[in-house]
Amino acid sequence: MLKNDYYSTAEAVTRGHPDKICDQIADAILDAYIKEDPNAHVAIEVAVHFAGVIVMGEVSSLASIDMESIVRKTIIEIGYDRDELGFNGYNCPIQFFVHQQSSDILLGLNQDNLGAGDQGIMFGFATNETEEQLPLSFLLAHQLTQKLEDLREKKILPFLRPDGKAQITLFYQAGIPVCATNIVIACQHEESVSTEQLRKIIEKEVVRQVVPSQLITEKTEIFINTTGRFVLGGPIADSGLTGRKLMVDTYGCSSHHGGGSFSGKDCTKVDRTASYYARYVAKHIVRGGLADQVEIQVSYAIGKALPTSINIDTFGTNHVPEEKIRTIITNCFDFRPSNMIQELQLKRPIYLETSQHGHFGNQNFPWEKLSKLETVKSLISH
């Protein structure tokens, strides 16, 4: 059983956070390659800093894309579109260090039975705590940053700038969230708005619009721009790098992470694909009624199609024996890269959206579907 009393904390960032800028640029480049060449092998890393953008990595593809235009378009759409922000997609310097992917790595990818593009450990997680099968703290953190973005982009709060973060801690008793112990917001803003004004407006228009009122009690502490000023933000204030917001991208503090980032990697990279597939399997386990919560761990060796291990942890919430769950997973789901790619239809330009507000919970993503639910249910009694 899950422990009775505990805290659950999760963090999220806006699209204008320096690390998230990098994730979006990397996935925008990936999408452009896949659109022209579904079999492209792409491994792109991006760094941003006060002096510009660095794009680096390996690509093997028949496609030819205008990488600079993609980088600039992505930055501008995020909101860095004028010099006063200190970082402007129209004129920021961009350096490219991209070469063909290593032939040694390609040896494991060009087989008929596609092998994993790298070794590694991946995790998938699901819980019946919310309709999205994600932890409530994780959902609320992302809803807070999405609210900040909506208010900025729709010019309802025109003083907001692109950079921002949110964090929320929920306290659980007997497995039920009873209050938010603290809510933390950091939002970049125009110099014209005072700290006092900003705090009042953000609490009213963001915090209390997103967090359910029953979770905000007299014990709840709300922290908004605690330094008192957040005018300089984005790459002019802090450097960014792909893959530095792994817990923001996945499940917050509720699940493990193998350490491999997703953005900029094509679907032959199991860091990405196996994480998606493990989430897909975990959702079926929870929605099928086999457990209230489950974490699935899978590992690979480069060039090998079959996982080197598959492990499950239901945290004592299973309604059937874990061995039964293992058997159902083995009978219903195929973790070979070629199958995961085909089953989830991953050779499509769908990745930019994943790098904006997390890789899980969006029902448009194929790994969020429950296409095998009836099959899973039918095997419970066998």
Side-chain angles (χ1 to χ4, degrees):
M1 294 292 293
L2 292 174
K3 53 189 175 182
N4 287 334
D5 295 351
Y6 61 96
Y7 295 88
S8 176
T9 302
E11 180 191 32
V13 299
T14 63
R15 293 177 61 201
H17 185 281
D19 294 330
K20 268 290 139 210
I21 296 172
C22 297
D23 289 341
Q24 290 167 89
I25 291 172
D27 274 337
I29 291 171
L30 171 63
D31 277 352
Y33 273 111
I34 294 176
K35 184 177 181 181
E36 301 297 325
D37 177 12
N39 294 313
H41 294 305
V42 180
I44 290 293
E45 305 286 351
V46 179
V48 298
H49 54 104
F50 69 94
V53 182
I54 299 172
V55 179
M56 51 197 163
E58 305 83 45
V59 174
S60 295
S61 175
L62 299 175
S64 178
I65 67 170
D66 185 347
M67 204 175 289
E68 180 176 342
S69 293
I70 293 167
V71 173
R72 295 195 184 282
K73 180 175 183 288
T74 304
I75 295 169
I76 291 165
E77 288 180 349
I78 289 170
Y80 292 101
D81 55 2
R82 55 194 188 278
D83 289 340
E84 67 183 280
L85 296 175
F87 189 74
N88 186 347
Y90 286 105
N91 55 33
C92 65
I94 306 173
Q95 294 177 285
F96 295 95
F97 302 95
V98 179
H99 59 91
Q100 186 166 336
Q101 192 170 56
S102 165
S103 59
D104 290 348
I105 294 176
L106 289 173
L107 284 174
L109 302 180
N110 293 330
Q111 305 169 21
D112 292 334
N113 187 18
L114 181 69
D118 202 352
Q119 69 179 52
I121 308 161
M122 301 87 210
F123 290 89
F125 179 81
T127 174
N128 65 2
E129 185 178 347
T130 63
E131 181 64 27
E132 295 85 353
Q133 293 181 254
L134 290 168
L136 180 60
S137 57
F138 178 87
L139 282 180
L140 290 175
H142 280 270
Q143 288 169 6
L144 287 166
T145 54
Q146 286 179 307
K147 188 68 171 179
L148 283 173
E149 289 185 355
D150 288 344
L151 294 172
R152 176 180 64 85
E153 292 172 358
K154 295 175 182 177
K155 302 188 185 306
I156 297 172
L157 297 182
F159 60 80
L160 290 177
R161 287 180 171 179
D163 198 357
K165 304 172 76 172
Q167 182 176 288
I168 185 168
T169 300
L170 301 181
F171 176 61
Y172 286 70
Q173 287 184 326
I176 303 297
V178 295
C179 75
T181 59
N182 55 76
I183 302 164
V184 184
I185 301 286
C187 52
Q188 187 188 13
H189 59 88
E190 302 285 351
E191 197 162 9
S192 58
V193 63
S194 71
T195 301
E196 183 180 356
Q197 286 177 307
L198 181 138
R199 287 174 176 165
K200 288 180 179 179
I201 293 171
I202 296 302
E203 179 173 342
K204 178 184 177 183
E205 300 296 336
V206 178
V207 174
R208 295 189 179 273
Q209 295 298 316
V210 170
V211 181
S213 58
Q214 66 270 23
L215 293 180
I216 302 178
T217 71
E218 68 279 359
K219 296 181 180 180
T220 303
E221 293 185 289
I222 299 175
F223 303 105
I224 299 172
N225 283 23
T226 52
T227 65
R229 175 185 169 92
F230 188 6
V231 173
L232 287 178
I236 193 64
D238 191 13
S239 61
L241 188 66
T242 42
R244 278 208 305 207
K245 287 293 173 281
L246 301 182
M247 306 312 288
V248 166
D249 284 341
T250 52
Y251 309 103
C253 68
S254 299
S255 178
H256 293 90
H257 198 294
S261 64
F262 302 162
S263 293
K265 297 178 179 178
D266 71 78
C267 59
T268 65
K269 312 298 189 298
V270 285
D271 277 337
R272 182 167 220 158
T273 297
S275 296
Y276 291 168
Y277 199 75
R279 162 67 174 170
Y280 175 68
V281 175
K283 286 195 67 175
H284 281 82
I285 298 306
V286 171
R287 190 56 63 87
L290 284 76
D292 296 334
Q293 186 169 301
V294 66
E295 180 184 79
I296 296 175
Q297 174 191 303
V298 60
S299 63
Y300 290 87
I302 188 168
K304 300 296 183 181
L306 292 175
T308 55
S309 69
I310 298 176
N311 188 52
I312 66 169
D313 186 354
T314 62
F315 309 94
T317 69
N318 52 303
H319 301 293
V320 300
E322 286 195 350
E323 281 305 312
K324 180 70 173 181
I325 298 175
R326 293 177 193 276
T327 300
I328 290 174
I329 290 174
T330 300
N331 290 338
C332 287
F333 301 98
D334 182 351
F335 280 85
R336 291 176 300 165
S338 57
N339 176 74
M340 295 188 294
I341 292 169
Q342 181 178 8
E343 193 171 341
L344 299 182
Q345 300 180 340
L346 297 180
K347 291 187 175 183
R348 296 179 292 151
I350 59 174
Y351 297 106
L352 176 57
E353 189 174 3
T354 70
S355 61
Q356 295 173 345
H357 295 293
H359 295 250
F360 305 117
N362 185 331
Q363 297 306 307
N364 292 326
F365 298 155
W367 47 92
E368 295 294 321
K369 308 298 183 184
L370 292 164
S371 54
K372 292 186 174 182
L373 186 57
E374 294 307 314
T375 302
V376 168
K377 288 181 176 179
S378 70
L379 293 174
I380 294 175
S381 58
H382 289 181

